[in-house]
Amino acid sequence: MKLRALAHSRTGDKGNTSNISLIAYDVADYDHLATHVTPERVKQHFQGIVTGEVVRYALPKIGALNFVLKGALGGGVTRSLALDAHGKGLGLALLDLDIPERT
């Protein structure tokens, strides 16, 4: 299943770092998301885009995960020639990640 079936995202940026929050529609799905959306999976999903480390912060009480993607914006807004220099599309791209069905 696609991640978008269980969650939505919000993004932000600071320099060459993108911040993606993944928020479960239903807090009951949080554990499933936390199990399958790891920093390693996110780094692999953004292979060729994210050049630095991916750090995950867990926010279980609100059913959310926050990912900090270092080296994700082609040098940052003022240096990047990318059409999406702020990385807003990265949140949507993360929602395209395949995860197992919830059992």
Side-chain angles (χ1 to χ4, degrees), residues 8 10 19 36 46 54 60 63 68 76 90 103:
H8 62 99
R10 298 281 297 173
N19 179 30
H36 297 289
F46 289 116
V54 174
V68 177
L90 295 177
T103 56

Side-chain angles (χ1 to χ4, degrees), residues 75-94:
V77 174
T78 59
R79 295 181 60 193
S80 177
L81 297 176
L83 292 176
D84 183 18
H86 291 278
K88 298 299 182 186
L90 295 177
L92 294 174
L94 180 60

Side-chain angles (χ1 to χ4, degrees), residues 9-21 66-69 72-73 77 85-91:
S9 70
R10 298 281 297 173
T11 62
D13 67 278
K14 191 57 133 182
N16 196 25
T17 300
S18 181
N19 179 30
I20 303 175
S21 294
N66 186 57
F67 293 91
V68 177
L69 289 67
L73 300 175
V77 174
H86 291 278
K88 298 299 182 186
L90 295 177

Side-chain angles (χ1 to χ4, degrees), residues 16-54:
N16 196 25
T17 300
S18 181
N19 179 30
I20 303 175
S21 294
L22 183 66
I23 306 116
Y25 294 123
D26 184 340
V27 176
D29 292 323
Y30 172 80
D31 288 337
H32 187 70
L33 295 174
T35 298
H36 297 289
V37 188
T38 64
E40 296 79 21
R41 286 281 319 273
V42 172
K43 174 91 175 188
Q44 179 184 23
H45 188 66
F46 289 116
Q47 182 178 4
I49 296 172
V50 176
T51 61
E53 73 175 316
V54 174

